[in-house]
Amino acid sequence: MQKYIVSVSKKNNSVWKIYFYDENFEIHSERINPLLIWYYKLKKYHRKKGVCPNCRREYLLLTNWHDKSDWCPYCLDEYDEYDD
Ligand SMILES: [Zn+2]
């Protein structure tokens, strides 16, 4: 499963959790090892609303410093259909 981490936060009793979107843009949370907080913070994405210049639909954009790809989930879906 692809994980787009959007939040790394501390809950009660020193439990750390990440919140992330999967490839279907569904949000999930998961308990993490506190030793890996730095790693998850590096991988964190920012949520931005974008409008696709191609299909003109509004979509949720996830960006971070190592992945600047500006992809539209609707157009991406159309590509999938022509995969083979
Ligand atoms: Zn599009």
Side-chain angles (χ1 to χ4, degrees):
M1 188 204 289
Q2 184 69 28
K3 287 183 184 177
Y4 299 101
I5 295 154
V6 291
S7 176
V8 181
S9 57
K10 194 180 179 184
K11 297 285 152 200
N12 303 329
N13 311 320
S14 309
V15 174
W16 283 82
K17 277 184 144 184
I18 53 166
Y19 292 87
F20 62 90
Y21 285 95
D22 65 17
E23 63 272 23
N24 299 316
F25 283 85
E26 278 169 29
I27 195 133
H28 301 270
S29 68
E30 192 176 280
R31 203 175 153 164
I32 57 163
N33 184 336
L35 292 174
L36 294 174
I37 289 162
W38 63 271
Y39 165 79
Y40 287 110
K41 284 198 166 166
L42 272 177
K43 293 189 52 141
K44 206 171 133 179
Y45 282 74
H46 296 282
R47 274 173 290 197
K48 253 171 60 181
K49 274 225 171 152
V51 178
C52 176
N54 196 22
C55 68
R56 309 245 162 235
R57 275 189 273 197
E58 205 177 78
Y59 62 95
L60 186 66
L61 183 66
L62 299 168
T63 57
N64 74 6
W65 61 273
H66 64 77
D67 182 3
K68 300 275 183 212
S69 59
D70 190 344
W71 47 265
C72 166
Y74 302 112
C75 291
L76 221 62
D77 274 354
E78 283 161 30
Y79 275 121
D80 284 349
E81 289 172 29
Y82 301 109
D83 239 10
D84 47 16

